[in-house]
């Protein structure tokens, strides 16, 4: 069969993307959000969400991550969760100012701080992107979680192709 015949028959060109794998399960967690209020991670159940690990004084990858999350906020209905790796400096007030800088919708984009042990468990055990240990080293990847709290994929924040794939995967999970 020629390429033209394959295209006409629909056998190539419109192949459905395979199911996203389940990389891990996200447990319940308790942290503090940018308003200073308690944030129960259970409130994300039933929602698609994209997470990242960042800190507000970062001048390297964090501004790019936040700019991409602005786009995700505009183009999808997904919730966004930014976990700080700088618990000492990123107080709720500092996180609120950072959120404002990036036009975060506080109903959907949550900037979280709290117990180092909880943040480290999420970074190291659940998402496997590093440690929250005071060194301020962190992954620049964006992390996709489905409505059943399954961690499904991660995306580098360099290159349009990766961001396009993230947006497409969110749409796939919405179906």
């Amino acid at each position: 069969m020629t390429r033209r015949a394959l295209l006409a028959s629909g056998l190539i060109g419109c192949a459905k993307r395979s199911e996203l794998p389940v990389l891990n399960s996200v447990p319940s967690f308790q942290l503090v959000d940018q308003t200073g209020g308690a944030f129960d991670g259970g409130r994300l159940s039933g929602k698609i969400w994209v997470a990242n690990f960042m800190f507000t004084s970062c001048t390297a990858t964090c501004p790019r991550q936040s700019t991409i999350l602005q786009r995700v906020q505009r183009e999808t209905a997904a919730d966004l969760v930014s976990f700080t790796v700088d618990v000492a400096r990123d107080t709720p007030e500092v996180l609120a100012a950072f959120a404002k800088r990036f036009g975060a919708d506080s109903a959907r984009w949550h900037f979280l701080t709290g117990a180092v042990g909880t943040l480290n468990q999420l970074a190291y055990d659940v998402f496997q992107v590093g440690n929250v240990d005071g060194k301020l080293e962190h992954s620049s990847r964006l992390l996709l979680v489905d409505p059943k709290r399954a961690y499904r994929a991660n995306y580098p924040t360099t290159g349009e192709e990766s961001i396009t794939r993230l947006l497409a995967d969110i749409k796939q999970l919405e179906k």
Side-chain angles (χ1 to χ4, degrees):
M1 201 178 247
T2 68
R3 177 167 172 77
R4 186 176 195 184
L6 287 170
L7 278 169
S9 69
L11 294 177
I12 64 172
C14 294
K16 184 179 178 188
R17 198 171 161 155
S18 64
E19 182 77 14
L20 291 167
V22 173
L23 303 175
N24 214 337
S25 178
V26 181
S28 296
F29 59 87
Q30 302 289 322
L31 290 167
V32 176
D33 70 13
Q34 70 266 31
T35 69
F39 186 91
D40 180 351
R43 71 191 270 190
L44 297 166
S45 294
K47 299 178 178 185
I48 297 166
W49 50 287
V50 178
N52 73 320
F53 286 84
M54 49 67 73
F55 61 104
T56 61
S57 61
C58 172
T59 58
T61 64
C62 300
R64 174 146 178 80
Q65 289 177 52
S66 296
T67 299
I68 293 167
L69 290 175
Q70 275 181 315
R71 180 174 171 190
V72 173
Q73 178 180 252
R74 275 192 319 269
E75 296 182 21
T76 75
D79 273 36
L80 308 170
V81 180
S82 292
F83 298 103
T84 186
V85 298
D86 189 0
V87 174
R89 283 178 259 179
D90 285 346
T91 63
E93 297 79 17
V94 170
L95 291 171
F98 191 81
K100 184 176 180 180
R101 176 176 158 203
F102 285 95
D105 173 354
S106 61
R108 291 181 42 217
W109 193 349
H110 316 284
F111 290 80
L112 303 180
T113 188
V116 170
T118 300
L119 290 162
N120 193 56
Q121 177 196 19
L122 291 165
Y124 184 79
D125 295 329
V126 176
F127 295 112
Q128 300 172 347
V129 293
N131 294 307
V132 178
D133 57 8
K135 294 180 183 173
L136 304 184
E137 296 171 358
H138 64 93
S139 171
S140 63
R141 291 185 169 267
L142 300 179
L143 316 160
L144 180 61
V145 179
D146 75 14
K148 295 180 182 175
R149 300 175 64 90
Y151 168 37
R152 303 300 290 270
N154 63 69
Y155 309 83
T157 53
T158 55
E160 182 61 29
E161 180 181 321
S162 177
I163 297 150
T164 300
R165 193 175 93 241
L166 167 62
L167 294 169
D169 289 347
I170 291 170
K171 300 276 188 228
Q172 179 182 343
L173 289 176
E174 288 174 340
K175 291 180 182 177

